[in-house]
């Protein structure tokens, strides 16, 4: 019973964090990307993706694949 209660609290916390992260509130930031219609002719906002992958050494093949996948 104790484990079930901990699992319920954990799942509830994760769901709450996901809902907070996916909310429509931009929360400040760059005013140019706040609305797609702002600026020059409705330019698309820039989405930055970061990876931490090995680009040299023995695991460089996997690191390059991760980098190319993120670029796609």
């Amino acid at each position: 019973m104790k484990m079930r209660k901990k699992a319920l609290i954990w799942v509830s916390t994760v769901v709450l964090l996901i809902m907070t992260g996916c909310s429509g509130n931009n929360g400040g930031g760059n005013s140019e990307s706040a609305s797609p219609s702002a600026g020059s002719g409705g330019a698309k906002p820039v989405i930055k993706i970061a990876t931490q992958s090995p680009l040299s050494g023995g695991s460089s093949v996997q690191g390059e694949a991760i980098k190319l996948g993120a670029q796609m």
Side-chain angles (χ1 to χ4, degrees):
M1 188 68 171
K2 193 180 250 189
M3 186 67 142
R4 180 179 254 177
K5 191 172 184 180
K6 285 183 180 180
L8 180 63
I9 291 171
W10 187 81
V11 169
S12 300
T13 303
V14 170
V15 169
L16 181 65
L17 290 172
I18 290 172
M19 290 175 59
T20 304
C22 294
S23 69
N25 186 3
N26 288 335
N30 190 355
S31 62
E32 290 180 27
S33 64
S35 66
S37 62
S40 60
K44 295 181 181 177
V46 175
I47 300 173
K48 296 181 181 181
I49 300 175
T51 63
Q52 184 175 356
S53 55
L55 299 177
S56 63
S59 301
S60 64
V61 174
Q62 184 180 12
E64 286 291 327
I66 293 170
K67 182 179 110 176
L68 292 174
Q71 287 176 350
M72 286 181 74

